[in-house]
Amino acid sequence: MPVIRPYKWQIVPQVALVIALIILGSLAGSWIGRLVIIRSDRGHMLSLSNQLLKRADFVFAEADTILSKANATGFPFCSASEIDYLRDTLFDTKYLKDIGRVQDGAFHCSAVFGSAKPSPLAKPDLATNDGTLVYANTPLAISNTTAPIIGRGNANVVLDPTAFDAMTDPNYSFGILFKPPGAQNPVAMFGGLEAGKRHEKLPEGAGRDGDIVFRNLCGERACVSLQAHVTDLEEDAFPIEASITGLGGTLGGALALIILLLQRKRLSLGARLAQALDKRRLTVVYQPIFDIGTNTPRSAEALVRWVDGKEAIPPDIFIPVAEDEGLIKRVTLSVLDRVLADMTAFLQADRTFRININISAADLIDPAFASALEQRLRQANVRSEQLGLEITERSTANAAAAVDAIRTLRARGHRIYIDDFGTGYSSLAYLGNLNVDGIKIDKSFTQTIGTGSVTVSIVPQIVDMARVLNLGIVVEGIETATQRDYFAGLQTPIDGQGWFYGKPVSAAAMQELVQEKF
Ligand SMILES: Nc1nc2c(ncn2[C@@H]2O[C@H](COP(=O)(O)O[C@H]3[C@@H](O)[C@H](n4cnc5c(=O)[nH]c(N)nc54)O[C@@H]3COP(=O)(O)O)[C@@H](O)[C@H]2O)c(=O)[nH]1
C-alpha cells in the first residue's frame, strides 16, 4: 500500500517547491533582465556615438568648406560687397554662427558684425602646421555664451555651440573633438567631456572602467567620446529589470503549480488504481501467439485493462504509476487471478497451451513471488509450465538478483521471456548469462520490414544469435502478411504475435479463435 503522509508533511515540501521555483525564476529573470539591459545599453551607445560622429564630421566639413570660400571671395577685404557675400554664405550653412575676416592677428569684419574696429585675436588652443587655428571655447561678443571657432588664412568661422543639443541623452555625456589634418591630438570642441580626461582612450575603443562605460570612435575630421555611469543606467533600467524579475518569479511560481498539479493528478491516479485493485476492477484481454511456420496458436499474452468509470486508462500510463507507487505487485497478482478465473478450464483442457503475463522488476526480485504464483496455480490445478513470464530488459538491471530469480522461476517450470527485446541495453551475450527461455523481438523492428530501413538488417543477426544461444524467438507487432512471410522465410522456429494474427480480445473470443485454428 502507498504510504499516506499526514497533510502537514505533504504541504511543507510543496510550499518549499513553490518558494524555490519563485526564487529561481526571479533570479533567472533578474539575470536575463540585466543581460537585456546591458545589450540594449551597448546598442544605444553604439548608435548614439555613430550619430554624433556623423554630425561632427558634417560640422567640421562645413567649417572647412566655408573657410576655403571666405579666403577666396574675390572682393576687396572687408568691403561692403564682401560682407554681403559672407552673409549670403552664412545663410546657406547649417551649423555656423558667423564667418569672419582676419588680418595680421586681428579681427576686422564678419557676416554678423559687419565692419568692425580691428581687435586682436586670442591665443588659440591649437595651431597646426598648415595654419589652422582652433579655439575650443571662445566667449561670443553677441551673447553670453561661448562657441568653438576655427580659423585658417584670413578667415575664421564660429561654430554653432548648440549643434549637438538635439542629440543629448540625460544618461550619457559626450565630447566632440576636432582633429585637423597634421594635429597630434584632437581638441574637445563640444559636449561636457573635455579632451585628455580619464576614459577618453582615443582614438578608438569601448569598455568599462569602474563605474563608467565608454565608447570612443574617430572619423575623418572628428572623434567622439561617449560615457555613462553604470549606476545611472541601472537606475534608469530599474523598472524594466524589476518587471523581468517579477515575470521570472511569476513563471517560476506557475511552473511550481503545474508540477504540483501534475503530481497531484499522478498521485490521484495512484489512489484511483489502489481503489480499482481493492474492488477487483482490473480486467484482462488476450492476444494469441502463433507458430509462424505451422500457423497454429501455441500461447497467448495476457494484457491488463483498466476502465475507470467511462475512462479507459492505458497500461502505458498506469503501469509506471503502479511501479512508482508500490502497487505493481498487486497489479501482477490481480492479472494472474483474472487469468485463472478466465482460463482455468481452457488450460486444463489443453495442457500444452500457455498464457504469458507481464511481470515487473519488483515482482522478479521478490522472494515471495514464486511461491505466490505456485500457490495460486496449485489451487487452480494449472501447471507452472502453462504460465509464462515476460520481463523487460530494464527489470534485469540488477543482474545478480535477476539471475537468481530467473533460475528459481524456471526451476518451478515457468518459461521466461525478455520482452521488447532490442529497445534496452542488453546484448544477446548478456541474455546468455541471464539464462532465459526466449526473447520477444520488439515491434519497432517488425514495423521496419518492407520499408528498406537499415534497422531491418540487424533482425537476421538477432535471430542467428538467439538460435546459437538456444533461445526461443517471438516476434511482436506482426501486422501484415509481408512481415509474417519475412520471418517465415528465415527457416527457423519463430512464434509471432500481432494484429495480423489477432488483436487483444476477451478470454472467450481468444478461446474461440484458438479452437478455430486447431
Ligand atoms: N507489468 C505489466 N505490464 C503490462 C500488462 N499489460 C500490458 N502491459 C504493458 O503495457 C504496455 C502497453 O500494452 P498494451 O497497450 O496492452 O499494448 C500491447 C498490445 O496491444 C500491443 N500490440 C500487440 N500487437 C500489436 C501490433 O501488431 N501492432 C501494434 N502497434 N501494437 C501491438 O503491444 C503491447 C504488447 O506489448 P508487449 O507486452 O511488449 O508484448 C506494454 O509494454 C505491455 O507490456 C500487465 O499486466 N503488467
Side-chain angles (χ1 to χ4, degrees), residues 68-84:
S68 300
K69 272 193 175 177
N71 273 306
T73 62
F75 295 107
F77 184 75
C78 279
S79 61
S81 38
E82 184 172 65
I83 291 169
D84 280 350

Side-chain angles (χ1 to χ4, degrees), residues 14-53:
Q14 291 178 4
V15 171
L17 177 76
V18 173
I19 293 173
L21 284 184
I22 288 176
I23 292 173
L24 274 178
S26 307
L27 287 175
S30 156
W31 182 71
I32 292 169
R34 289 182 79 86
L35 269 186
V36 168
I37 288 158
I38 289 169
R39 271 178 185 273
S40 114
D41 284 341
R42 269 195 206 143
H44 184 61
M45 275 189 99
L46 181 65
S47 113
L48 183 56
S49 53
N50 281 333
Q51 285 170 31
L52 286 167
L53 184 63

Side-chain angles (χ1 to χ4, degrees), residues 311-487:
E311 187 189 4
I313 302 165
D316 280 339
I317 301 290
F318 73 83
I319 292 292
V321 174
E323 283 171 344
D324 288 354
E325 305 275 315
L327 293 169
I328 190 67
K329 291 188 204 172
R330 291 186 65 199
V331 171
T332 307
L333 291 180
S334 117
V335 168
L336 178 59
D337 288 341
R338 186 54 84 125
V339 167
L340 292 174
D342 288 342
M343 298 290 297
T344 292
F346 186 83
L347 291 170
Q348 285 169 348
D350 179 358
R351 291 294 184 181
T352 65
F353 202 82
R354 191 181 66 244
I355 300 287
N356 286 355
I357 62 167
N358 291 279
I359 66 169
S360 72
D363 298 312
L364 185 66
I365 57 168
D366 177 6
F369 180 64
S371 323
L373 296 187
E374 190 180 332
Q375 191 210 334
R376 283 170 164 77
L377 291 172
R378 198 179 328 111
Q379 233 167 24
N381 187 22
V382 171
R383 293 178 186 157
S384 306
E385 294 77 12
Q386 293 185 282
L387 181 70
L389 305 173
E390 297 188 7
I391 56 179
T392 58
E393 292 175 63
R394 242 181 331 122
S395 59
T396 65
N398 179 352
V403 167
D404 282 350
I406 291 167
R407 190 185 308 116
T408 308
L409 290 164
R410 289 189 75 201
R412 288 174 187 256
H414 300 290
R415 286 176 73 84
I416 313 280
Y417 284 86
I418 294 290
D419 204 2
D420 305 332
F421 182 79
T423 56
Y425 56 83
S426 43
S427 62
L428 279 160
Y430 173 79
L431 293 183
N433 296 337
L434 281 180
N435 220 5
V436 293
D437 291 279
I439 54 170
K440 294 186 76 177
I441 299 176
D442 188 66
K443 52 181 168 281
S444 55
F445 291 97
T446 314
Q447 278 154 9
T448 58
I449 285 159
T451 63
S453 159
V454 283
T455 320
V456 184
S457 58
I458 66 165
V459 171
Q461 271 168 281
I462 297 177
V463 171
D464 282 349
M465 284 284 287
R467 215 166 18 196
V468 169
L469 291 168
N470 217 12
L471 292 168
I473 302 166
V474 182
V475 177
E476 294 179 323
I478 297 186
E479 292 180 2
T480 63
T482 311
Q483 292 163 351
R484 190 269 319 266
D485 294 346
Y486 174 86
F487 287 102

